[in-house]
Amino acid sequence: MDLPVDEWKSYILQKWSLLPKSIRDTICSAETSSDIFLHSSSLLQPEDEVFLKELSRGYLVGKDPDAPLFYREEGNKKFQEKDYVGATVLYTKGVSHSRPNTEDISLCYANRSAALFRLGQYEACLKDISRAQMHGSPERLQLKMMLRKAECLVTLGRLQEASQIIRDLESNFTDRQTLAASQFQILQSTLCRLKSKVQEKETPTGTLPAALTTDFEDMNLREENERISCASSSITLCTDPSKGRSLIATRDILPGELLVKEDAFVSVLNPGEMPPLRASLESKWDTRVTNGDLYCHRCLKHTLAPVPCDGCSYAKYCSQECMQQAWGLYHRVECPLGGLLLTLGVFCHVALRATLLARREDVGKVTRTLCDEISNWDIRSPESKNLVRTLGHDLGGEREKNGETVEPPIPGCDSNGKYESNYNAVLHLLPHTQNHGPEHKFLCALSVAALCRQLEAATLQTRTTSLKSSQPEAVVVPATSQELFSWGVAMLRHMLQLQCNAQAITTLQQTGSKESIVTDSRQVRLATGIFPVVSLLNHSCSPNTSVSFVGTAASARASRRIGKGQEVLHCYGPHESRMGVAERQQKLKAQYFFDCSCSACQEGTRRAAGPRWEAFRCPRCGELMQGGDVLSCGSASCTESASRDHLVSRVQDLQQQVGKAQKLLRNGKRERAIQLLLGCQHDAESFLSAEHSLVGEIQDVLAQAYAELEDWQKSATHLQKSLRGVEARHGPSSVEMGHELFKLAQIFFNGFAVPEALNTIQKAEKVLLVHYGPWNDEIQQLQEMKSCLLDLPPAPEGPFV
């Protein structure tokens, strides 16, 4: 949810419509972020704040003392069902609502340690046992937790610690009269089993297998760029009067070469695909699993055992260290604003956090920069064609030095001409003030104004608290009305920047059944961030780079050869393999305010026929159909014709049938799903091109169904047909092709088709390495499969099972 919730948007739009025309005209004619904020923020009334406060209360981000018991009981149900991941998440929610040093938090940690143990997360299990004990776990749980701790230590090979735990258990519990006979017998047998395990591990039985090694070197930046931080020396920063800044290759660049490796200046975890539940009598507590439950709110690391914030139930972190760093950098200010920030949306949250982080960089310098630039931002018309002149430090553009004309520095560069990944670079990202609609600017300005009012209240509270405490505050907050106004203008500028400059931080998440032998994945949006260097990449619908993420770090790699002097290009979303020219042009104009003239758009405009992955075929002769509302066979000897609307309707019917088959598959009804899919396949092949996306989807789902039945030969046959469609649509070196090859490799591996598996693994590695580098999870799995296959004894040739 990038923008505020619908209720607030509707409220503000109605307020806008009721404003006198003179005031609307004043805001519409405002050319600077400063003027927009000045004229809009003064219109925020107390009743507006009351309405927003009511909306914010709908997000349950505080700690509810009744919630831990509810979540613990719900987690216990999941545990009994052997859904240990679900149980872990629910216990975490219980922890998040618990206060420190209470029985509630110790019980939730203890129960979560049991679920983590069942998941094989032994290190995390040990940490949770320590946390449970630190918060005062009840005496009745000590025996269970100590036994669990010993099991973890033995499994991890920490035998000396395990032996000490076993000795402590023997001396502390075996002589206690409080243990029932049955408990005593269980304890004795468990201790015997653990001691046996320790002895086995202490006696070496052979050489452990060597750790898997990668066949590829980790492609770090070959040489750091002296003029652009986080960038390779193989690119340089240039400006162009028509399109502004761009990155140009200074030499020939090979596929897979790492060009940019940058950590986000700021990032905010998205609340998830489903917004938090509003408080209601029917459902007071949320049991759904979102990204906020599974990823660290600071570093975005995946974790099943997060540490919650002590002040709210929303923020969670992968470790105590991450929690403390987040608190010092920004969460001390954000914590009491949790419900408000969720109501105002991710963009507003990013804008606040960016401003908070800016103050940490250099408080004095940034304060001066904010005050100085307020009068200059946008006055120089950043949307004008000559960006060098409009964003130069001198309003007159070129300057004279020692009698010679000196070009102003490139926007975002420091006085030495270096482009750093810092707040100065963030400030110089274009807000496109003139292109945003007046209603949108008014919405953003009032949202920021409301946030500033809360910051003002928080500042007063912070000062009061500081008088009572000798500890300095880690987070700098605005102290004067002028500073608060500067913050408002900065945050409004960032909100306007984000529509064109926000980067969706994505991750691959496994889809389908948890029990599935062949894993599939999809790319999901995890967070929103600002990457000043990555933002220098201009758009192409047929890009020559691929951007991937590990946590908050972005890596841009060449996806194909880039010649010396060519521009390094990235796709902003509308890709030629996913959309037609008209749709791409419309989306780019609406969001990014430019008309795309990349090579793919120029070629697509000249090409009359649509893409083959959307094409219909003649049911009589098989040739492709051509035309507008009425399609005719492309063969001169065939007179067949059909209505486009009729064929589109057939496609929609087929899509519904495929959806039903997927639902059957999720419910374990594989045979029925296959019968339905085979019927869909027959129907699709009668009127759709072989490369049509729906034909490929049907083949892909059939491959999944046969894989679940462990009919590897049929699964591979269908997936190979799907591959042909993926290659035709996305290209042989595309990331989509890499993921499909990864699935095919798993099928061959599970079917013991060794030559086919090794050949497919090699192809998949080659493609995925270009886009992700060697430490991608799928590449690691491919190398594990290859290592396993190479260790197998030679098998007789024949069809795999």
Side-chain angles (χ1 to χ4, degrees), residues 372-652:
D372 293 343
E373 298 237 5
I374 283 172
S375 59
N376 294 331
W377 283 345
D378 307 315
I379 291 176
R380 294 170 293 198
S381 228
E383 286 75 32
S384 69
K385 292 184 178 179
N386 194 327
L387 295 181
V388 175
R389 288 197 174 94
T390 58
L391 280 173
H393 291 284
D394 191 303
L395 289 176
E398 296 176 346
R399 297 173 292 172
E400 285 194 4
K401 186 176 181 180
N402 299 328
E404 296 182 2
T405 300
V406 179
E407 287 286 335
I410 294 175
C413 294
D414 60 21
S415 57
N416 297 316
K418 183 170 183 179
Y419 189 92
E420 297 270 9
S421 181
N422 60 15
Y423 191 62
N424 179 55
V426 172
L427 277 177
H428 285 84
L429 296 173
L430 295 183
H432 294 278
T433 309
Q434 306 301 322
N435 292 317
H436 289 288
E439 295 90 347
H440 177 75
K441 288 185 281 191
F442 187 63
L443 170 66
C444 292
L446 254 66
S447 298
V448 169
L451 184 55
C452 284
R453 295 276 177 92
Q454 293 301 309
L455 282 173
E456 188 175 26
T459 301
L460 293 173
Q461 185 178 359
T462 301
R463 287 179 189 168
T464 305
T465 306
S466 297
L467 291 174
K468 299 177 182 178
S469 172
S470 59
Q471 294 184 355
E473 291 294 311
V475 180
V476 182
V477 290
T480 65
S481 58
Q482 178 57 39
E483 256 199 346
L484 193 64
F485 181 79
S486 300
W487 275 54
V489 175
M491 287 191 285
L492 176 58
R493 180 178 175 85
H494 295 326
M495 276 200 79
L496 297 177
Q497 286 173 329
L498 284 165
Q499 180 167 319
C500 295
N501 294 286
Q503 181 69 53
I505 300 175
T506 60
T507 187
L508 287 176
Q509 286 186 352
Q510 184 177 333
T511 60
S513 170
K514 296 175 186 175
E515 293 78 25
S516 178
I517 299 173
V518 177
T519 60
D520 199 358
S521 60
R522 66 185 177 105
Q523 196 173 60
V524 296
R525 182 178 176 184
L526 182 59
T528 299
I530 298 178
F531 297 83
V533 177
V534 172
S535 292
L536 295 172
L537 293 166
N538 286 324
H539 168 80
S540 171
C541 299
S542 179
N544 51 24
T545 62
S546 183
V547 177
S548 60
F549 301 90
V550 176
T552 58
S555 296
R557 299 176 185 272
S559 58
R560 61 173 184 257
R561 184 184 177 279
I562 305 173
K564 181 180 179 180
Q566 288 184 336
E567 185 174 0
V568 181
L569 299 163
H570 171 46
C571 179
Y572 291 177
H575 195 284
E576 66 167 340
S577 67
R578 291 188 285 272
M579 301 177 193
V581 177
E583 186 181 2
R584 298 201 308 268
Q585 295 271 349
Q586 185 273 327
K587 286 184 176 293
L588 290 166
K589 185 71 172 178
Q591 181 171 350
Y592 298 99
F593 311 120
F594 70 88
D595 296 309
C596 186
S597 58
C598 70
S599 58
C601 283
Q602 292 176 8
E603 183 182 341
T605 303
R606 291 191 296 267
R607 189 173 58 234
R612 291 181 66 87
W613 40 269
E614 288 181 349
F616 300 104
R617 59 178 295 199
C618 175
R620 180 178 296 176
C621 68
E623 288 293 320
L624 295 183
M625 306 284 281
Q626 299 175 359
D629 293 339
V630 177
L631 298 171
S632 302
C633 181
S635 172
S637 60
C638 183
T639 59
E640 190 75 16
S641 63
S643 163
R644 180 182 292 275
D645 288 343
H646 172 67
L647 295 178
V648 168
S649 177
R650 288 183 66 183
V651 169
Q652 292 170 346

Side-chain angles (χ1 to χ4, degrees), residues 101 118-119 220 271 480:
N101 303 316
R118 296 299 180 95
L119 289 168
N220 287 317
T480 65

Side-chain angles (χ1 to χ4, degrees), residues 13 41 50 57 93 131 236 298 353 364 386 503 546 558 580 649 674 707-708 745 800:
L13 289 177
S41 60
V50 170
R57 284 200 184 105
K93 290 178 184 287
R131 289 167 183 146
T236 188
R298 178 181 174 271
R353 189 171 290 183
N386 194 327
Q503 181 69 53
S546 183
S649 177
I674 288 171
E708 291 189 15
F800 62 93

